[in-house]
Amino acid sequence: MKQNNLYNYILSIADNSLILGQRLGELCGHGPTLETDIAGTNISLDLIGQCRNYYQYAAKVQGEGKTEDDLAFLRLEREYKNVLLVEQPNDHFGYVMGRQYLFDVFHLLFMNDMLNSKDETLAAIAKKGIKEVSYHKRFSGDWVKRLGDGTEESKAKMQEAIDDLWTYTDELFDMTEADKAMVSEGVGVDVSKLKEGYYKEVSQLLAEADLTVPESKYFTRGGKKGIHSEHMGYLLADLQYMQRTYPNMEW
Amino acid sequence: MNNSLPFGRDAQRAERVSLSFNLKTNTMSDEQIRNLEEIFEARIARDEKIEPKDWMPEKYRKTHIRQMSQHAHSEIVGMLPEGNWISRAPSLRRKAALLAKVQDEAGHGLYLYSACETLGVSRDELYEQLHSGKAKYSSIFNYPTVSWADMGAVGWLVDGAAIINQVPLCNTSFGPYARAMVRVCKEESFHQRQGFEIMLKLCNGSPEQKEMAQDALNRWWWPSLMMLGPTDAESIHTEQSMKWKLKRKSNDDLRQQFIDQTVPQADLLGLTIPDPDMKFNEETGSYDFGEINWDEFWQVVKGHGPCNKKRMKDRVGAWEEGAWVRDAAMAHAEKNEAKKLKKAI
């Protein structure tokens, strides 16, 4: 394939949206209030919508006649390139909002940059996505603040989630081969340049939320290379269940 | 009896009746109440809408809280059997559509609870009634969704039966309920088409897919017929509900309407209705059908269906596990208020 780097690049962005959308979808009907349930489903819907645009484009770039569903459902675990952060489980609402916020800040910075991509399709997806992701960040950021500055219990739970999820943040800024190639062509986003702004913004909100910014310098990475956490296999078992059980059918 | 003062749109007319209202005891005589009731019933007969602040008989208020909250609970519990397939939907398009559908149901729940709140009951109280088992919800949601085809069958049959029940409610006498139902019905009708389309795709697919569709129809057919309520002879609320336009046709009439509408759709899909007695009656122009197993209906209504316990466990679980989140939101809001107040001083 001529455009292997572009294909891999698109997939890695798409996988982040798919896997986070899948995680949020698991919560549908189980939220702490009806309003948060509706909002969580809405965010999931936005993310699934985004990943469809990416997969359709990736399938076109690949040029093998595959569909968005082939790419979303029929790869092996090692072929999914999402960051570890988005596949982390919905342990409690603090984890759900913490995971969301830590991703949303990155996601918005990323989208704002992708708006300037020389690739018109990616720029167009970014243009549409920025509105959605701005809302996601406002929602998750507000909840991090509410929980951090709520009761003693909620503060402890929110801090626990931030402490546990922090280890996955640094991977967001790793540059893969595909990333580097796409940056050099003016198509991709140089995520390494987003790091400073990211930690500054997150730290500021955590301070506002009366939470402590974790000091750990040890980070966990692997998702971008297809080496996932133990949670991923179960997530994929659900996600791929129908496509694996009933291959080559239309739904 | 509701002995409170009348106010709102109906105030002038009501005022004439209650001129001799006893300010000392804060009560109305039986005759005054009877007069108010007459005015009230006349308004309904004229197809006027009753609004939350209008005077209404206590029975009307209670009946509406019961029916609207039961409807709201059904939407919320109904999210569970379909939510069960979000993570396993077979394509991205189906996943997005299912997410949107379940989200619509949450939205319906939200504005039906809000409509209840206009009658002076809080959402927390209504949840408490659901969680304690005091309040009912549609029994159909106590059946399990065991295959993807169930997402088709639920949309096609369950939402189909719900629409038959709900369309007449767009003209019901209580304003907030009638207005909510206009929107609910539009969305339900979309859901039904979506469900039918899932079935159609399966029926035009592989033999396994068609078998999956037939199996879903076999399991959902009879519970869908039961959804339209007990036979008229057994229905305790019908007469009063008819008067208040909470109901415009009897359960048996609605059931016949549902059957007559659905059988040709099953034919179109090439599926067989699981009823050997189902036959078109040339004389009546309707389908005759077999005996409904009412023992099963009452078993499920009384809490012994396949998923009653699981549905309640999930709802109560979500509520209890979310308590710390709701407490935090309240505490945070109170802190913010206190900060604002301090600044203002």
Side-chain angles (χ1 to χ4, degrees), chain A residues 22 28-29 32 34-35 38 42 44-45 69 146 149-150 153-154 157 238 242-243 246 249-251, chain B residues 76 87-88 90-92 94-96 99 102-103 123 201 206 208-209 212 315 324 326 328 332 335:
Chain A
Q22 173 78 0
C28 192
L34 210 40
E35 287 82 352
I38 292 173
N42 214 32
S44 175
L45 258 175
D69 291 328
R146 261 182 220 120
D149 183 40
E153 185 187 6
S154 71
K157 283 194 146 108
D238 264 2
M242 289 296 290
Q243 290 276 345
Y246 304 95
M249 293 183 198
E250 301 252 329
W251 301 97
Chain B
I76 301 312
S87 69
R88 293 176 295 166
S91 70
L92 292 176
R94 294 292 185 202
K95 192 188 287 285
L99 275 163
V102 181
Q103 189 189 32
R123 207 198 301 176
K201 197 85 180 172
S206 71
E208 286 150 295
Q209 283 173 303
M212 196 190 280
R315 279 313 320 155
W324 69 272
R326 296 188 302 275
H332 180 72
K335 282 183 196 175

Side-chain angles (χ1 to χ4, degrees), chain A residues 18-248:
Chain A
L18 171 68
I19 302 302
L20 187 54
Q22 173 78 0
R23 274 288 184 236
L24 287 170
E26 292 169 7
L27 283 173
C28 192
H30 303 273
T33 67
L34 210 40
E35 287 82 352
T36 50
D37 226 311
I38 292 173
T41 310
N42 214 32
I43 296 173
S44 175
L45 258 175
D46 286 344
L47 293 167
I48 298 298
Q50 286 167 13
C51 82
R52 290 185 69 188
N53 289 330
Y54 289 127
Y55 288 130
Q56 284 164 11
Y57 183 38
K60 199 170 142 197
V61 169
Q62 189 191 33
E64 292 178 11
K66 286 194 178 165
T67 66
E68 59 179 37
D69 291 328
D70 293 330
L71 298 182
F73 294 96
L74 291 171
R75 283 177 292 145
L76 300 173
E77 178 173 329
R78 287 295 305 269
E79 293 167 334
Y80 286 84
K81 298 296 165 63
N82 57 281
V83 290
L84 293 176
L85 176 66
V86 295
E87 72 198 44
Q88 297 311 305
N90 304 319
D91 283 342
H92 61 56
F93 194 70
Y95 281 94
V96 177
M97 286 302 112
R99 180 186 64 205
Q100 193 64 40
Y101 179 68
L102 292 174
F103 183 71
D104 289 342
V105 174
F106 166 80
H107 203 187
L108 188 57
L109 291 169
F110 180 89
M111 286 267 185
N112 275 325
D113 230 33
M114 199 167 79
L115 200 56
N116 304 317
S117 172
K118 278 185 186 165
D119 184 302
E120 282 176 12
T121 309
L122 290 181
I125 297 175
K127 196 175 175 193
K128 181 169 179 278
I130 282 171
K131 283 183 207 150
E132 296 168 348
V133 178
S134 307
Y135 161 74
H136 303 172
K137 189 176 84 167
R138 202 178 72 204
F139 180 78
S140 61
D142 281 352
W143 270 107
V144 171
K145 281 193 272 183
R146 261 182 220 120
L147 298 177
D149 183 40
T151 61
E152 281 306 307
E153 185 187 6
S154 71
K155 185 187 174 70
K157 283 194 146 108
M158 196 61 243
Q159 187 69 57
E160 175 195 21
I162 292 292
D163 289 348
D164 287 353
L165 294 168
W166 196 255
T167 188
Y168 304 112
T169 52
D170 202 53
E171 187 189 15
L172 292 163
F173 312 103
D174 284 355
M175 295 285 281
T176 63
E177 288 310 309
D179 283 340
K180 286 175 197 160
M182 286 302 100
V183 169
S184 71
E185 288 182 31
V187 168
V189 175
D190 188 342
V191 287
S192 66
K193 288 186 179 159
L194 304 179
K195 192 168 172 173
E196 204 187 319
Y198 174 87
Y199 281 114
K200 197 176 157 196
E201 185 176 343
V202 170
S203 303
Q204 210 171 331
L205 184 116
L206 292 181
E208 257 182 77
D210 204 17
L211 294 165
T212 310
V213 178
E215 283 178 4
S216 170
K217 296 282 180 256
Y218 297 102
F219 294 100
T220 312
R221 43 191 15 103
K224 279 188 168 180
K225 291 180 179 161
I227 304 168
H228 294 277
S229 53
E230 288 179 349
H231 308 296
M232 187 68 169
Y234 297 95
L235 183 149
L236 290 180
D238 264 2
L239 180 76
Q240 299 183 335
Y241 167 66
M242 289 296 290
Q243 290 276 345
R244 294 285 187 211
T245 313
Y246 304 95
N248 304 317

